[in-house]
Amino acid sequence: MFFDRPDSGELAVLVHLDLSRSDDSDDPREFEELVLSAGGDPVAFLTGQRQSPTSNFFIGSGKLDELKQLVQLHGAQLVIFNHVLSPSQERNLEKELECRVLDRTGLILDIFAQRARTHEGKLQVELAQLRHMSTRLIRGWTHLERQKGGIGLRGPGETQLETDRRLLRGRISAIEKRLEKVRKQRDQGRRSRQRADLPTLSLVGYTNAGKSTLFNIITEAGVYAKDQLFATLDPTMRRVELDGVGAAVLADTVGFISHLPHKLVEAFRATLEEAANADLLLHVIDAAAEERDRNIEAVSEVLDEIGAGEIPSLKIMNKIDLMGLPARIDRDDTGQPVAVWLSAQSGEGVDLLLQAIAERVGRDMIHQTYSMAGIDVAASGRLRSRFYANNAVLAEGYNDEGVMQLELRMPRSDFRRILAAENIKEADVEIAASATG
């Protein structure tokens, strides 16, 4: 495939500058983890400080000479910058260093290309890569920028560069059309869940916070989970049962990262819409991470960008096993759960999480004993079967007149839906004298 990378690690020199004009520079340690996740083999790390990047090489002339020496000393095949480079900066650096140069966006795109498993995920990655490459085409075709002259080569053709740009535009358009079909399919699925009144929960969080490990514990889905950045790329959805609430849909989404390339946010819009349309966001946080607050802010920025900033959320403070803390639920002044402290690795506190989720999505619950006195025998039998199918029956009995009574606990929306399926109004169902709630 056009974008495949070799399986073996590539010797890489890493470059990170602290820019005084930047209030939010990326973490050098995270940068090194990204390179390792991509299969790179860091052999040197060049750091420095500047007021602002230079227009031609991003780094100054002194650092450029130092970088040349490191490349030659280690025989590096790749130089990776922890910054976003312009196409001209990449081109100038490659010419000077005589090796491939990659910026932060290209590095993350490469990791995404390795992690994508589903057809949709691969399409999304390819779209982001093509958009990124469209601004850098000239780098590979400088020798073909002009038409060649001579016998048999003159005429109204187009340059190789123009041909490639035209092919790229065609491929981008084709992928966008296929992804639009995916979005429509997702919309249909979402509408079906809304008609069934199924609450949708979406796991979001910084990459490597433990979302997939937690997802596997809750759903027993067997989703790929590993201690590396962007271990999960493709969205996975599973049905889960919550005590006192019933069925809900849980979605595992791609991990976020600080300064997530805008090209990726755009390309993964179909996937990220699962978060944007959720009833409750489960924000998984690596509570043991030194940069915890910065990671929380990075996730908030991406959620705002995809239109999910106002959706109710429940914070999940993960990895308490590394901190020696007990599992607990934090509540606000009204008693509503706002955070759960747990360990997805050991499973400690997961029961508290399920309890907190049930409280958040099941606020409008009914807990009553209902009498079937005003309903004919056939309809009451069908209602009984539907309530049992929804795991809503806590107890069943008969009064002195032999009329069936059911003690129910379930979301009011599900109760109304079942009654509507039998053309029965809520007011027609009598609350028994021995009501329990």
Side-chain angles (χ1 to χ4, degrees), residues 30-181:
E30 179 185 83
F31 174 44
E32 190 167 2
E33 286 181 32
L34 282 169
V35 175
L36 292 170
S37 293
D41 183 8
V43 292
F45 205 135
L46 180 65
T47 60
Q49 289 184 325
R50 279 192 68 87
Q51 283 290 113
S52 59
T54 65
S55 59
N56 50 355
F57 296 109
F58 194 90
I59 55 179
S61 56
K63 284 293 177 187
L64 182 60
D65 291 337
E66 197 176 336
L67 185 54
K68 279 183 189 177
Q69 293 172 11
L70 287 173
V71 170
Q72 293 169 359
L73 176 64
H74 297 283
Q77 304 130 330
L78 181 63
V79 171
I80 309 177
F81 278 71
N82 193 24
H83 308 276
V84 177
L85 301 176
S86 69
S88 62
Q89 286 169 339
E90 268 192 32
R91 192 161 59 248
N92 293 339
L93 284 165
E94 288 193 346
K95 185 176 180 181
E96 287 290 325
L97 301 173
E98 297 181 345
C99 71
R100 199 154 54 91
V101 174
L102 202 62
D103 68 353
R104 182 180 172 86
T105 300
L107 174 63
I108 295 175
L109 285 171
D110 188 277
I111 296 171
F112 273 46
Q114 295 180 44
R115 300 285 188 269
R117 295 290 180 268
T118 65
H119 177 62
E120 176 193 352
K122 291 176 180 177
L123 283 177
Q124 289 170 325
V125 171
E126 186 180 355
L127 177 60
Q129 286 181 313
L130 288 172
R131 285 173 172 167
H132 183 64
M133 180 169 287
S134 64
T135 62
R136 287 158 165 76
L137 260 185
I138 192 170
R139 182 177 65 194
W141 297 107
T142 50
H143 63 296
L144 293 174
E145 283 182 57
R146 299 178 183 276
Q147 279 182 244
K148 291 183 179 180
I151 298 173
L153 294 174
R154 288 183 285 259
E158 59 183 345
T159 67
Q160 181 65 54
L161 180 59
E162 289 168 343
T163 301
D164 260 42
R165 282 181 174 152
R166 177 172 52 80
L167 292 173
L168 269 181
R169 285 195 298 269
R171 180 62 179 160
I172 288 172
S173 177
I175 293 175
E176 285 175 338
K177 288 178 182 176
R178 290 162 77 176
L179 285 175
E180 187 59 37
K181 290 178 66 176

